[in-house]
Amino acid sequence: MTTLIQDAIPGENKGAGLKKAKKVTRAYAIDLFLWSYMVLASWKIIYEKIFIGARYATFTWSQPLLAVGIGAVVALGLFFTRVSIGRAVSGLYESRPERTVLSEPYTILGYVLLVITFISGIFISQVSITEFLSSSGLHGARRIFTALFNPNFAIIEGALFAAIETIYMAFIATILALPMAFVIAFFAARNLMNGSKLTMVIYSLVRFFLNVSRSIEPLVWAIIFSVWVGIGPFAGMLALWLHSVSSLSKLYSEQIENISNGPIEAMTATGAHPIQVIWFGVVPQIVLPYLSFTIYRWDINVRMATVIGLVGGGGIGTMLMQYQGLAKWNEVGLLVIIIAAIVWIMDYLSSKIREAIK
């Protein structure tokens, strides 16, 4: 298709023609996706759940394929009308002064999509006001809340030691992640790595590693490390450390990409070594944001440390899991109070420190 357009549009119009062809292709792909989604959601949710009342609707892989086929036909039929959302998103419509954007047909179709998505979400999430207000459910919730607000202070000593363990675990994970994230961030910054194909390959690989490791929740990493090194604070610290490296590297690299290029260009023009450019041109611009991000990450790690303890990551989270499993809600109440106090103190301290270093 690209070759045909290049042949059909000579000279200077060739680039503009290619650009428009890409826009049209992208617009049709958007319409195809939206119409396929609308057909499938209307079929499985609106028709089968609401009109037929099927409690457990059957699903086969041929149904999405059929929805894509119907969506392709409908999208093609309406593509050159003002119902096409893809053309609106791609900027292929000419504005009409007599109508506002909110009254355009593609906007009205967007409203319909939003309503279908909301209804689908209600049914897929199995939202039930009846179950929420059932007498048995309210009785059970009242019993647990009553116990939580009557904490058992007999376990206060063990709970405080576990809380201290949690704070130290988060601190070590943050400190160990800091130098590694500092170095990786330079390889993950596009403005520093776009000099050659080799550096761009390194940039892509580093970004891929960061995205994959960051997309896996610390809870899952804690399970993996619990199997690897055994249940305890070490497994929890490793899980927090790995996730902190990925998250901090991303934040740091984005900060590098937003720095002023003036000092870098000036030093490069004088023939400075790349390391000198980074040390004297980049680092001074990112020190304060780095400190702010690191403190904020420590705050996050303390809160996460209480969660990963649920899967054997050590600290107060492990105590919480044990007492929760035994349905000892009075003890759980004390642990919840301590966790809330830690989170509140950390949030207060980190906000004060961030304000001080701005």
Side-chain angles (χ1 to χ4, degrees):
M1 182 177 179
T2 303
T3 307
L4 290 174
I5 292 171
Q6 286 175 329
D7 292 340
I9 305 173
E12 297 178 353
N13 293 329
K14 200 178 287 186
L18 281 172
K19 194 174 180 181
K20 186 172 182 181
K22 288 180 181 176
K23 280 188 175 182
V24 170
T25 305
R26 185 177 59 187
Y28 180 72
I30 293 172
D31 279 358
L32 171 61
F33 171 77
L34 292 178
W35 279 109
S36 302
Y37 165 74
M38 192 183 299
V39 169
L40 189 61
S42 302
W43 177 10
K44 302 302 294 183
I45 303 296
I46 307 296
Y47 176 68
E48 291 191 1
K49 286 281 187 182
I50 297 178
F51 286 97
I52 295 182
R55 184 173 176 81
Y56 299 105
T58 57
F59 179 85
T60 60
W61 286 109
S62 61
Q63 294 170 347
L65 294 177
L66 182 58
V68 170
I70 297 173
V73 174
V74 175
L76 186 62
L78 298 176
F79 187 68
F80 295 100
T81 68
R82 293 190 76 84
V83 178
S84 169
I85 293 179
R87 289 171 67 86
V89 172
S90 303
L92 294 173
Y93 283 136
E94 293 182 3
S95 61
R96 296 192 297 188
E98 71 276 9
R99 303 194 69 166
T100 62
V101 175
L102 296 178
S103 63
E104 289 282 2
Y106 56 78
T107 307
I108 296 172
L109 180 61
Y111 295 150
V112 175
L113 270 169
L114 188 62
V115 171
I116 291 176
T117 303
F118 180 77
I119 295 173
S120 301
I122 292 289
F123 276 89
I124 291 174
S125 302
Q126 298 182 6
V127 175
S128 172
I129 299 296
T130 306
E131 292 181 9
F132 184 72
L133 298 176
S134 67
S135 57
S136 60
L138 289 173
H139 175 72
R142 185 168 59 249
R143 179 171 55 82
I144 292 175
F145 275 115
T146 303
L148 290 177
F149 285 108
N150 291 281
N152 181 5
F153 287 94
I155 63 166
I156 184 70
E157 185 178 344
L160 288 177
F161 276 111
I164 292 170
E165 186 179 83
T166 298
I167 294 172
Y168 273 97
M169 188 168 65
F171 177 72
I172 293 299
T174 310
I175 290 297
L176 293 182
L178 177 61
M180 199 165 181
F182 180 83
V183 175
I184 292 175
F186 293 103
F187 295 98
R190 178 182 284 272
N191 59 336
L192 298 182
M193 300 295 287
N194 59 2
S196 66
K197 290 183 179 179
L198 176 61
T199 54
M200 282 304 292
V201 169
I202 296 173
Y203 163 81
S204 301
L205 290 174
V206 171
R207 278 281 180 173
F208 176 76
F209 165 75
L210 295 179
N211 289 332
V212 170
S213 56
R214 194 164 50 85
S215 62
I216 301 174
E217 287 296 315
L219 203 66
V220 178
W221 285 119
I223 295 172
I224 295 171
F225 285 117
S226 295
V227 175
W228 189 343
V229 301
I231 293 174
F234 185 42
M237 189 279 293
L238 287 173
L240 292 175
W241 165 76
L242 185 57
H243 204 264
S244 298
V245 169
S246 304
S247 299
L248 285 176
S249 297
K250 183 176 185 301
L251 290 173
Y252 290 171
S253 62
E254 289 179 353
Q255 186 61 39
I256 294 173
E257 290 175 349
N258 291 328
I259 62 174
S260 171
N261 288 325
I264 298 175
E265 291 172 356
M267 294 187 68
T268 305
T270 61
H273 191 273
I275 295 178
Q276 292 175 314
V277 173
I278 290 174
W279 187 252
F280 295 104
V282 177
V283 172
Q285 299 187 59
I286 58 176
V287 170
L288 291 181
Y290 269 35
L291 288 173
S292 180
F293 289 146
T294 305
I295 293 168
Y296 184 58
R297 185 65 207 182
W298 183 33
D299 178 24
I300 293 174
N301 279 347
V302 172
R303 280 178 280 165
M304 279 189 179
T306 61
V307 177
I308 63 173
L310 298 174
V311 293
I316 200 168
T318 301
M319 282 188 76
L320 186 66
M321 180 194 66
Q322 292 169 350
Y323 284 116
Q324 184 183 353
L326 296 172
K328 292 186 175 182
W329 300 114
N330 298 95
E331 287 77 4
V332 170
L334 177 68
L335 297 176
V336 169
I337 290 172
I338 292 175
I339 291 172
I342 293 172
V343 171
W344 181 80
I345 292 171
M346 289 300 303
D347 184 60
Y348 177 79
L349 290 177
S350 63
S351 64
K352 289 295 179 184
I353 294 173
R354 286 200 301 273
E355 286 178 8
I357 62 176
K358 281 182 181 177

